[in-house]
Structures are given as C-alpha cells and as structure tokens.
Amino acid sequence: MRLPTLRQLQYLTAVVEEKHFGHAADKCFVTQSTLSAGIQDLEQLLEVSLLERTNRKVLPTPIGEEIASRAQQILSLTEDLVDLALSEKNPLSGRIQIGIIPTISPFLLPKVLPTVRKQLPDLEIVLIEDQSERLLDQLETGSIDVAVLAFPYNTRGLTHREFAKEPFWIALPQNHPLADKEKLSADELPINELLLLAEGHCLREHALSACQLPASAQRTSVQATSLYTLIEMVASGLGITLIPDMAINSDMVIHSDIRLVPLAADKEQAMREIGLVWRPSFRRTATLEQLEKTFSDALADTNYSLRA
C-alpha cells in the first residue's frame, strides 16, 4: 500500500490553514508549482478531491478538511518523536513552545523567567498568551508543546499536573461599606455589584466557584476582557470583583485605588490551582519536570503564593 508522505501532509495542512496556494508555498519554503503538484499527487493517491479551487481562493472539501485535521495530528506526533530523540542527548536544551493564559502570564512570568534563563540557558522558550480553550486547541494540533492553565478545567484528556494553589481576594472601592472588613465570606458579598470577566475566561468560572455562586450571579450589564480592566472598574466605584492571590503584589494592583480583603471560604473551594498541560505523546519528561520545579519554586519564594 502506498502511503502519503509527511511532505504531502504538510502541503495540505498549509493550504487548508492559509486558504491560498502562494501563502502556503511560502510557509513550506517551496515554489507554488511544487506545492500544487504535491497535493495533486496526494489526491491521486487517496483517490478523493481534497480542495475546491477557484480563481480567487481555495477551500477544503469536507473530506479534505477531515484529512487535513488528521494530517495535523500525524505531523504533531512526528514532531514529538523528533523532540524526544533530541532530548535524549540533552533534555534541557532545544526549543519549547509554552502557552499561558492572560490571568497568569503577567504575574507568573516575571517571577519565573529570570530563573528559567539562569537554570536552563540552553532551552529556548517561545511564549504564546491566549485563552484556555484556544491553548488546548493549539496543544492538540502541536502548535505549542505545553500550556500553563488554572484548574479545575476540562483538559480534554490531555495530561496535566498542578504545581501551585492560590486563594482569592475581594477587590472593593476604597469607600465601600465592606472595605474595612478583615475578611469577607461569600454570603456577605453584594452579588448585584459583582464584576467578572467575559465568557471564555476561566478566571470567571473559578471566581464563581470560589464563592459557590451560579453563572448568573454578576452584573450582566458590565463585563471586562482583562483583569486590569476589572481593577480599574472597581477603582471607579462600578462594583467589586475577585482577583487571584498572585496578582495582589503586581504594579497594577498596588497603584490602583482599591481595597483588598481576603475571601474567607472553604479552603479547597476558594482556591484555584496552577499547572502544566501537555499531550501524552510529548515525552520530554525531564524538561517538563524541570519547568514544573522552576515554576513551583519561583512561586513558593514569594510571600503571596501557596506551595501545592
């Protein structure tokens, strides 16, 4: 049985992604005629039409889209195989692409990157910031190697391990009636004043879970797309919000005109966990273990994070 080549699969996935032969050829570092011929050979081999070609654009057929999706998985597994072989020579070298969510990256990265550069000088780290669902998509397609996410979260069967836990704090305007409290329980919060991030941000679900509140418990007329915006809204007197422990010593919190009060709740319920997620086929175990230790140690050295 004749089998498609990896090069043919690369050509197909590039065209499906770019929807343009010229752009796909540039991405694959070949001429357009070479790429077009490779895809035609693949179509003849599989005896199906993979692409709809017009003068202006190119689109995958339904079977072409399915085959391209599976081809991307094959290419991802192949890259993992090469990474595994290279890591055998030097586990703490090479390139690793790390995805991280926006409610962690500005607070965690300044703490860990100097340590990572010092302890892992031969490891090239490429950082991608995005929301959890899109990072999981990129993990599955092989666009990134590992992601730093907050839990609980559905990781779609991918491998994950937590390395830290952190509590939540209530952020209130300075003149709020509850601002002088030493701590606040969830049932003391004025739910009609609660501000949360928009749908798609996992911090939203974790904040609701910490207070044991339903998804409808918030000011639906006001939603933010970043933690910075939430803090500015609180400082302006628009409401209250929950912020994670790792953010309270950040510049954007220290220089904001808000009051922070600890959230008093069930110890486990009021925590969010921080951890790594990766594909089971990504077998650079030594690299992952070193990253996990470096991240965990960097957080444990601060006075605002709890070691898992």
Side-chain angles (χ1 to χ4, degrees):
M1 177 186 296
R2 287 184 59 208
L3 298 176
T5 66
L6 292 178
R7 177 62 71 181
Q8 289 172 334
L9 299 182
Q10 287 175 331
Y11 291 166
L12 176 63
T13 58
V15 171
V16 170
E17 182 176 343
E18 299 294 333
K19 295 182 174 56
H20 189 282
F21 275 103
H23 296 164
D26 292 340
K27 185 175 182 179
C28 296
F29 303 102
V30 296
T31 64
Q32 187 170 330
S33 59
T34 297
L35 180 136
S36 181
I39 291 181
Q40 287 179 357
D41 289 343
L42 179 61
E43 288 179 318
Q44 292 175 2
L45 172 65
L46 299 177
E47 298 183 347
V48 292
S49 177
L50 301 173
L51 301 172
E52 296 178 12
R53 301 163 175 84
T54 68
N55 292 332
R56 294 186 175 181
K57 59 183 178 180
V58 56
L59 297 172
T61 62
I63 186 63
E65 190 166 6
E66 174 66 22
I67 289 175
S69 176
R70 298 196 182 195
Q72 184 60 64
Q73 295 176 21
I74 293 170
L75 293 171
S76 176
L77 289 171
T78 304
E79 291 170 359
D80 288 347
L81 182 150
V82 175
D83 282 340
L84 178 61
L86 292 175
S87 68
E88 183 68 19
K89 300 177 183 177
N90 185 352
L92 304 180
S93 67
R95 189 180 195 224
I96 186 167
Q97 299 179 96
I98 302 176
I100 186 164
I101 57 177
T103 56
I104 291 180
S105 59
F107 317 114
L108 176 64
L109 294 182
K111 302 293 179 184
V112 302
L113 287 183
T115 305
V116 169
R117 293 191 186 102
K118 182 178 180 180
Q119 295 183 353
L120 307 172
D122 297 326
L123 187 66
E124 178 190 359
I125 294 180
V126 179
L127 296 168
I128 296 93
E129 185 182 80
D130 211 333
Q131 292 183 19
S132 300
E133 280 298 297
R134 290 197 285 266
L135 290 179
L136 292 176
D137 290 341
Q138 293 177 64
L139 275 174
E140 290 179 338
T141 61
S143 300
I144 60 175
D145 302 308
V146 61
V148 181
L149 301 184
F151 303 97
Y153 200 82
N154 180 9
T155 58
R156 308 178 188 175
L158 296 167
T159 306
H160 71 280
R161 187 161 60 229
E162 295 81 18
F163 58 78
K165 295 179 180 179
E166 61 172 355
F168 282 96
W169 293 67
I170 310 299
L172 309 103
Q174 288 284 3
N175 60 354
H176 196 279
L178 300 176
D180 292 330
K181 291 274 191 177
E182 291 187 4
K183 59 182 179 180
L184 285 167
S185 61
D187 56 10
E188 293 179 278
L189 300 181
I191 302 306
N192 62 326
E193 298 180 29
L194 185 60
L195 306 173
L196 296 175
L197 291 175
E199 293 282 354
H201 294 268
C202 62
L203 182 61
R204 169 194 176 91
E205 281 71 31
H206 294 149
L208 289 170
S209 176
C211 296
Q212 301 183 25
L213 297 172
S216 58
Q218 69 165 111
R219 286 188 59 185
T220 55
S221 60
V222 183
Q223 295 187 39
T225 57
S226 73
L227 193 54
Y228 174 80
T229 304
L230 276 181
I231 292 171
E232 290 299 306
M233 291 164 69
V234 171
S236 299
L238 295 179
I240 67 173
T241 193
L242 278 76
I243 64 173
D245 192 61
M246 67 167 61
I248 67 172
N249 281 350
S250 65
D251 287 342
M252 74 176 185
V253 173
I254 291 174
H255 297 133
S256 295
D257 190 24
I258 62 173
R259 168 72 172 163
L260 294 175
V261 180
L263 172 65
D266 176 80
K267 185 176 180 180
E268 293 300 321
Q269 189 73 24
M271 296 279 185
R272 78 166 181 172
E273 298 177 328
I274 313 298
L276 301 179
V277 185
W278 64 93
R279 293 180 302 279
S281 60
F282 186 72
R283 304 301 296 274
R284 293 183 59 176
T285 306
T287 305
L288 291 171
E289 288 178 350
Q290 185 60 50
L291 283 174
E292 179 184 349
K293 183 179 186 304
T294 302
F295 282 18
S296 179
D297 289 348
L299 287 177
D301 286 342
T302 68
N303 60 3
Y304 58 90
S305 181
L306 302 177
R307 186 74 175 266

